[in-house]
Amino acid sequence: MKFIHSFFVATFLAAQAYALESSAVLAVAAKFDNASPDDQYKARVELSKLIDDATAPGKTAPADATKTLVTVMQAKGVSPEAAKYILRAMSRIATADAVPYLAELLNGRDPLLQEEARQVLESIRDPKSVATLEAALRKESRKLQKLGLMNSLAAQKAASSVPLIAPLILDPDLEIARAAVGALAGIAGDSAAEVLKKANASDKVAAAIKPDVEAALLIASAGNAQVILELYQTTQSETVRLAAFLALTNSSPANAAPVVEQALKNDNSELRHAALAQALKMNLPSLQTTLAQSMEPMPLADRLVILANLHHLKSTDLAEKLALNRVASAEQDERIAAIAALGKMVTKPAFDALLQALGDKAPPINQAAGTAIAAIHFPAAESSLLAMIKGDSSPEKILAVKAMAFRQVAGSNELLIDTIFGSDASASTEAMKVLYFTASLDDLRTLSTKAAAIQDAEKKKSVASIFSKIATRLNTDEARELVKPLQ
């Protein structure tokens, strides 16, 4: 019993220690009276830390902290600047207990505190908070305040606010009308969508905000395929049409084929490109037939979209054929796109083509090939590269050595070191270039041992040069010591 009693006493004392005390907050609030910008900043930091520490999980309950802060706000002598930052802290923790006091501020005469109180009310997810914001909007005549109140009600996502906001779509001030439309989009749901649907069909709504109404309806109707389809078919806004297309095809790909088929023929390139990507993801038979015939007549931009999404094509043979064909394109961007597509494949022809592209004279092409070789999932890629490096002199051997700069393969550095001291001068030079980027301190030790036995003066000079560069990159005392005998 004594233990239990001690436990409760300790718990009570701990709770007292953690409590957010009015006196502590008031003490910090008094520091805002100092006109120094530095002192003001320190006061803000101290206030934020005090409240955050006292309201951390397991400490002061949010409701208790809220009551304490309201008490502080009501105390005499709290400066407007201190009140502003106390309210900002309240927006992180406040409960419905603060609503009556916040309502007073919202209906008061201080514009600064009105705005801060609105934002705190916005953060309190409670019907009382919503009701307070709605009451304020009903009687508000000032433009900026109306805009702010609508934004807060949108954040609350309260369906009860829809009838209040709906008439403002017809406000002669287009900024208020747009804000009303945006607020309904934020609230969303059936009631908001119904209001927006009627507004979209109404001649009373300003033509200038019709695209906003359509976009809002698209957001508010998320999941309603019929409404979205109607928007897609009737809108005059290309932006809304594209958004509706994406909503339709992503939410229900199985039923989207007719829409995608139609969009593939559209003159708007953004919509057509979205349709090409979706058609490849869906493996649309008609597109596969078109691609099997030829990509050549298509605009370059369309071909680039196809290559970027070619990995979705379930016909591996067709995907491979298309990518290999476009690697030979006269357009550099298309060659790069085709190389990237090959890097997402798992076939030997793709791997072989990438290896050949690695030897291209154009830096953007060989760089793209190296990146693709690093990414390709062809199972035999690593063993094939190692076999080529071990093999006799050949163009493929040099390409395999180049590939090691992009694809880290276990045991490759040992082979590259052997290649440096081999009879193939071109492969030796390439291996030196690669080892500059890949060699470790262990590799440098091996190089040091082998370099000591070199008889050819020119060879020794070349090895010493790369040896020195590797040592500089590694930047260790041992590396610097290892290179000294060759200098």
Side-chain angles (χ1 to χ4, degrees), residues 7 19 52 59 93 113 116 121 133 136-137 152 189 243 245 248 257 284 311 321 361 366 401 406 445 459:
F7 172 77
D52 287 347
K59 298 186 179 181
I93 61 165
L113 295 185
E116 296 295 338
L121 285 163
L133 292 165
L137 181 58
S152 292
F245 173 83
L248 279 171
L284 201 65
H311 57 286
K321 176 184 175 184
K361 293 180 181 179
N366 58 54
V401 170
F406 298 93
R445 294 187 189 109
K459 185 77 168 181

Side-chain angles (χ1 to χ4, degrees), residues 351 355 358 370 373-376 378-390 399-417 434-435 437-440 443:
F351 172 75
L355 200 59
L358 197 59
I373 279 179
I376 195 168
F378 174 55
E382 296 184 359
S383 59
S384 297
L385 290 171
L386 293 176
M388 291 176 197
I389 296 173
K390 291 177 185 176
L399 294 174
V401 170
K402 284 178 179 285
M404 291 300 104
F406 298 93
R407 192 179 185 102
Q408 297 300 306
V409 181
S412 61
N413 277 5
E414 291 91 330
L415 290 177
L416 292 176
I417 291 170
V434 174
L435 277 170
F437 296 101
T438 64
S440 66
D443 297 323

Side-chain angles (χ1 to χ4, degrees), residues 317-351:
D317 289 345
L318 177 57
E320 179 188 89
K321 176 184 175 184
L322 293 171
L324 291 172
N325 179 267
R326 302 324 300 174
V327 166
S329 170
E331 297 284 350
Q332 181 170 278
D333 286 349
E334 187 169 17
R335 291 189 69 196
I336 292 171
I339 286 167
L342 288 169
K344 296 174 184 176
M345 297 180 188
V346 292
T347 66
K348 187 176 186 304
F351 172 75

Side-chain angles (χ1 to χ4, degrees), residues 272-284:
R272 191 172 66 252
H273 292 167
L276 282 168
Q278 192 61 48
L280 284 163
K281 291 174 187 175
M282 294 167 58
N283 278 270
L284 201 65

Side-chain angles (χ1 to χ4, degrees), residues 150 165-166 168-170 174-187 196 199 205 209-217 220:
M150 281 191 282
I165 295 172
L168 295 175
I169 295 177
L170 299 177
L174 293 185
E175 194 172 354
I176 289 178
R178 281 196 177 92
V181 169
L184 291 171
I187 294 169
L196 290 165
V205 174
I209 69 164
K210 275 297 178 76
D212 299 273
V213 173
E214 290 179 335
L217 179 55

Side-chain angles (χ1 to χ4, degrees), residues 200-468:
N200 195 38
S202 172
D203 293 335
K204 295 180 181 179
V205 174
I209 69 164
K210 275 297 178 76
D212 299 273
V213 173
E214 290 179 335
L217 179 55
L218 188 61
I219 295 168
S221 301
N224 190 328
Q226 186 56 42
V227 172
I228 297 171
L229 180 60
E230 288 174 10
L231 267 175
Y232 173 73
Q233 293 172 334
T234 60
T235 184
Q236 298 301 305
S237 165
E238 294 297 343
T239 302
V240 172
R241 180 174 286 110
L242 177 60
F245 173 83
L246 294 172
L248 279 171
T249 54
N250 289 330
S251 62
S252 182
N255 302 318
V259 176
V260 175
E261 293 273 12
Q262 181 190 46
L264 287 171
K265 303 169 187 174
N266 200 282
D267 290 336
N268 182 278
S269 60
E270 283 189 285
L271 179 59
R272 191 172 66 252
H273 292 167
L276 282 168
Q278 192 61 48
L280 284 163
K281 291 174 187 175
M282 294 167 58
N283 278 270
L284 201 65
S286 60
L287 179 61
Q288 290 195 44
T289 301
T290 300
L291 293 176
Q293 293 169 352
S294 177
M295 285 174 61
E296 199 66 48
M298 296 180 179
L300 173 61
D302 289 22
R303 299 201 302 267
L304 294 178
V305 171
I306 290 168
L307 289 167
N309 291 277
L310 202 56
H311 57 286
H312 292 297
L313 205 57
K314 288 182 180 176
S315 173
T316 306
D317 289 345
L318 177 57
E320 179 188 89
K321 176 184 175 184
L322 293 171
L324 291 172
N325 179 267
R326 302 324 300 174
V327 166
S329 170
E331 297 284 350
Q332 181 170 278
D333 286 349
E334 187 169 17
R335 291 189 69 196
I336 292 171
I339 286 167
L342 288 169
K344 296 174 184 176
M345 297 180 188
V346 292
T347 66
K348 187 176 186 304
F351 172 75
D352 290 343
L354 292 177
L355 200 59
Q356 291 304 313
L358 197 59
D360 198 278
K361 293 180 181 179
I365 299 298
N366 58 54
Q367 182 65 43
T371 302
I373 279 179
I376 195 168
H377 293 300
F378 174 55
E382 296 184 359
S383 59
S384 297
L385 290 171
L386 293 176
M388 291 176 197
I389 296 173
K390 291 177 185 176
D392 297 332
S393 300
S394 69
E396 285 70 27
K397 179 171 183 169
I398 295 173
L399 294 174
V401 170
K402 284 178 179 285
M404 291 300 104
F406 298 93
R407 192 179 185 102
Q408 297 300 306
V409 181
S412 61
N413 277 5
E414 291 91 330
L415 290 177
L416 292 176
I417 291 170
D418 289 341
T419 303
I420 287 177
F421 298 99
S423 59
D424 188 329
S426 296
S428 175
T429 301
E430 200 61 50
M432 289 184 198
K433 294 177 184 176
V434 174
L435 277 170
Y436 170 74
F437 296 101
T438 64
S440 66
L441 191 56
D442 281 341
D443 297 323
L444 202 61
R445 294 187 189 109
T446 303
L447 270 170
S448 176
T449 302
K450 287 182 173 277
I454 297 175
Q455 299 298 317
D456 184 272
E458 273 308 306
K459 185 77 168 181
K460 195 159 192 169
K461 183 179 178 182
S462 298
V463 172
S465 174
I466 192 63
F467 201 113
S468 179

